[in-house]
Amino acid sequence: MKIFLDTANLESIRKFNDMGLLDGITTNPSLMSKEGGNPKDGMAEITKIIKGDVSLEVLSTEYSGMLDEGRSLRNYGDNVVVKVPMTPDGLKACKSLTAEGIPVNVTLIFSSNQAILAAKAGAKYVSPFIGRLDDIGQDGMHLIQEIKTIFSNYNFKTQILVASIRHPLHVVDAAKIGADVVTLPPAVLDKMLKHPLTDIGLKNFLTDWEKLKSENPDIKV
Ligand code: G3P
């Protein structure tokens, strides 16, 4: 399973990339807006730091605008994946950009039908938003299971990129289903790192070592 970070925050991107955890990044206009500043600088920096796929989203809602923006977003790097919304124009842009060799991530997927259509249009990734489905009382993870079954039935090459993840259990459930990618807010990745027994265990190791050292002041590792 690949791990992407769902953020435009450079500090978080550097922090987790330095740990070797990141296979890619996803951004969207809301995440860009949260960081403020000039988004062009942010996009240039992210595509430089990260070697894997970086999803950058178009803002146009009509076909020719999406094509123009998609092509220009690719100037940030060969690792740019153009993110388009799940709309008729988005699918048309997906087909055209894919034909030009530009990979596409179709975002704002909330049903298996939408995922099937995005795959048929040639998307490299589909992004189902599971947390937002949970928010309205629908089972987001059920959607991931359904898409996984359908894509496997037909050997679709499109990858399932699980988005709108809210907590570490979402990650485990997505991994059990066999989703290709999870894109995580930095706070969720932070929580995945931690376990109270790890902290207690480390504290005890160090205390015991100090005891040994007090008896043998010259010892070193
Ligand atoms: O990539 C965008 C997606 O992950 C949105 O998440 O938390 O705004 O529903 P959220």
Side-chain angles (χ1 to χ4, degrees):
M1 182 181 63
K2 284 180 273 188
I3 293 180
F4 289 2
L5 204 61
D6 196 26
T7 187
N9 182 273
L10 295 176
E11 199 185 320
S12 299
I13 291 171
R14 287 199 185 93
K15 169 179 151 186
F16 292 112
N17 192 48
D18 287 349
M19 293 182 205
L21 300 179
L22 301 186
D23 299 297
I25 298 289
T26 51
T27 63
N28 62 38
S30 305
L31 293 170
M32 290 286 179
S33 164
K34 197 171 153 197
E35 296 310 315
N38 184 344
K40 289 185 172 193
D41 296 339
M43 292 192 281
E45 196 56 25
I46 295 169
T47 46
K48 216 161 45 174
I49 300 169
I50 296 292
K51 298 287 163 261
D53 284 353
V54 175
S55 286
L56 302 177
E57 190 158 339
V58 298
L59 291 165
S60 177
T61 54
E62 49 82 32
Y63 171 69
S64 62
M66 287 187 201
L67 269 193
D68 289 346
E69 288 178 16
R71 288 173 185 143
S72 94
L73 286 171
R74 267 293 271 200
N75 291 329
Y76 286 105
D78 289 343
N79 54 344
V80 169
V81 174
V82 175
K83 213 171 177 187
V84 302
M86 175 59 218
T87 61
D89 282 55
L91 291 186
K92 202 171 153 191
C94 175
K95 179 176 179 281
S96 299
L97 290 167
T98 303
E100 290 177 22
I102 299 176
V104 175
N105 174 358
V106 178
T107 189
L108 291 167
I109 298 268
F110 292 98
S111 75
S112 294
N113 281 316
Q114 291 180 320
I116 292 168
L117 299 181
K120 294 293 289 181
K124 178 169 183 180
Y125 299 106
V126 286
S127 291
F129 279 27
I130 60 166
R132 293 192 194 181
L133 282 171
D134 291 352
D135 288 345
I136 60 159
Q138 292 183 21
D139 184 355
M141 204 51 72
H142 176 72
L143 174 61
I144 302 304
Q145 180 67 74
E146 214 171 65
I147 298 172
K148 175 72 184 170
T149 303
I150 294 166
F151 282 15
S152 302
N153 285 348
Y154 295 100
N155 204 18
F156 284 169
K157 297 286 173 263
T158 301
Q159 296 179 46
I160 304 169
L161 191 166
V162 184
S164 186
I165 283 180
R166 299 282 161 76
H167 50 72
L169 202 51
H170 271 154
V171 181
V172 174
D173 287 339
K176 286 197 308 205
I177 291 169
D180 302 281
V181 190
V182 285
T183 189
L184 308 177
V188 173
L189 194 40
D190 259 327
K191 285 180 190 157
M192 284 171 67
L193 281 168
K194 292 186 185 134
H195 197 287
L197 291 180
T198 304
D199 298 338
I200 293 168
L202 179 59
K203 191 166 169 277
N204 289 342
F205 284 155
L206 295 176
T207 309
D208 291 342
W209 183 258
E210 281 309 313
K211 226 187 293 166
L212 182 65
K213 227 173 119 186
S214 64
E215 293 155 13
N216 308 273
D218 293 335
I219 55 161
K220 279 195 179 122
V221 178

